[in-house]
């Protein structure tokens, strides 16, 4: 967790410990499974909505829409509408979104590396 020493001199909005901080709101937005999986799926590519839905297995149309809107609102995803019939909509990570993807890649790697340990622990706990 973020220590007080690291936060000295930062605005109150940057303090994750404060319930009313913007940082906590942003953290809450992006720290959910769908947002992380969408960021990972986009990577360095531009994808259409249907391509994203195919990449992120199990996500509903509603959840994909909500998370894409949230990521766009937070400036992590760019949405481009092409003036065609029917309209073609594409999604791409912005520079801050690509920077966040580095952390998402680390989380994905950690999960893959420790999956066996976690499965064993769950087996012992659930027994």
């Amino acid at each position: 967790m973020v220590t007080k020493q690291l936060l000295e001199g930062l605005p109150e909005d940057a303090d994750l410990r404060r319930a009313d901080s913007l940082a906590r709101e942003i953290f809450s937005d992006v720290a959910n499974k769908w947002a992380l999986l969408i960021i990972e799926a986009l990577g360095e590519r531009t994808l259409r909505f249907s391509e994203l839905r195919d990449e992120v297995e199990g996500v509903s149309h509603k959840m994909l829409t909500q998370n894409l809107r949230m990521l766009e609102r937070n400036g992590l995803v760019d949405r481009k509408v092409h003036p065609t019939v029917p309209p073609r909509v594409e999604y791409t990570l912005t520079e801050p979104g690509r920077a966040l993807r580095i952390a998402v890649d680390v989380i994905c790697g950690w999960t893959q590396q420790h999956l066996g340990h976690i499965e064993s622990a769950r087996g012992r706990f659930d027994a």
Side-chain angles (χ1 to χ4, degrees), residues 35-93:
L36 294 175
L37 292 171
I38 291 165
I39 291 166
E40 183 64 20
L42 281 172
E44 298 296 322
R45 307 181 289 171
T46 297
L47 294 175
R48 296 179 67 181
F49 185 91
S50 60
E51 293 171 322
L52 261 173
R53 192 176 55 224
D54 291 343
E55 286 286 322
V56 182
E57 193 171 309
V59 68
S60 68
H61 186 279
K62 178 183 175 182
M63 289 308 297
L64 183 56
T65 299
Q66 286 177 350
N67 277 274
L68 283 168
R69 285 181 182 160
M70 173 274 299
L71 291 168
E72 183 182 9
R73 177 178 180 257
N74 284 312
L76 303 173
V77 167
D78 272 335
R79 177 178 182 265
K80 183 174 183 181
V81 180
H82 296 273
T84 60
V85 177
R88 190 178 80 211
V89 181
E90 296 177 329
Y91 298 90
T92 307
L93 291 178

Side-chain angles (χ1 to χ4, degrees), residues 92-108:
T92 307
L93 291 178
T94 62
E95 187 276 320
R98 288 189 302 274
L100 178 58
R101 182 172 171 252
I102 294 167
V104 172
D105 286 345
V106 171
I107 292 169
C108 291

